[in-house]
Amino acid sequence: MSDITPADRWALLPAGIREQADGYVLQDARMRAIRVVFEAGRARGMGLHDAQLVVNERYLRYGDRIARTPRSPLDQESLAARAAGLPGRVVAVEAVWDGDTVHDWFVDLLAVTAEPAGEHRLATIHTDPAAAADRAGRALAAHLAVPFHFASPDTPDDEAPRRRP
């Protein structure tokens, strides 16, 4: 179906599927929209990549009407409040790269706790992720008087060495 446009692929879908997919797009639930389009479109010769292109076109069509998922707060007061509510004592703050086909590269800002040991996501940063995570992570770590670790601040690397206890 490589010579068919996303609009043509969209027209191949039943009205109910188009309505459901648009509902997910307007809620900024991209993966759910892709799944609906893919599952219904498969019988009409659409692959996963086709479904992604169709949903992307719907995002472009709706633009500012989409109720975007709110960004994680990065101010020290908000991050400190989240850290204070975690089970266990925060012993470090760490920034780690992650990525996917929808969002590209992003950074998760984590609080590392002891007793019980664990990692807890404080924020996910999509815009200017390295600089924002470095700034917010260092400020929070200083506020909490714990170490900050960001193994790969200059290059996205989801296999960069992690903090060791």
Side-chain angles (χ1 to χ4, degrees):
M1 294 188 72
S2 62
D3 56 340
I4 298 175
T5 68
D8 293 336
R9 291 183 189 105
W10 181 249
L12 292 173
L13 297 170
I17 297 298
R18 292 192 310 260
E19 184 178 323
Q20 184 181 28
D22 273 350
Y24 283 136
V25 167
L26 289 167
Q27 294 172 5
D28 199 20
R30 184 181 299 261
M31 296 307 289
R32 287 182 178 173
I34 290 170
R35 181 178 181 172
V36 165
V37 170
F38 174 63
E39 288 175 351
R42 204 174 7 206
R44 291 165 168 79
M46 276 194 240
L48 180 57
H49 182 69
D50 298 321
Q52 290 171 324
L53 292 173
V54 166
V55 170
N56 185 62
E57 287 295 317
R58 304 311 291 171
Y59 265 79
L60 294 173
R61 179 178 188 273
Y62 286 115
D64 290 341
R65 292 178 49 201
I66 297 170
R68 298 287 179 179
T69 303
R71 292 187 177 147
S72 297
L74 297 178
D75 62 284
Q76 182 180 311
E77 183 179 8
S78 296
L79 292 172
R82 285 188 171 166
L86 295 174
R89 176 177 50 87
V90 176
V91 295
V93 175
E94 185 171 22
V96 296
W97 285 102
D98 201 352
D100 59 39
T101 57
V102 174
H103 299 103
D104 199 18
W105 287 105
F106 53 90
V107 175
D108 284 328
L109 194 60
L110 306 173
V112 180
T113 58
E115 303 165 23
E119 295 177 349
H120 309 273
R121 184 180 301 121
L122 299 173
T124 299
I125 307 163
H126 295 277
T127 304
D128 193 18
D134 192 65
R135 236 182 350 266
R138 285 184 190 285
L140 178 61
H143 174 77
L144 299 174
V146 298
F148 173 69
H149 183 256
F150 193 178
S152 183
D154 299 321
T155 306
D157 183 357
D158 58 356
E159 295 182 13
R162 297 289 308 273
R163 178 191 171 278
R164 298 197 193 273

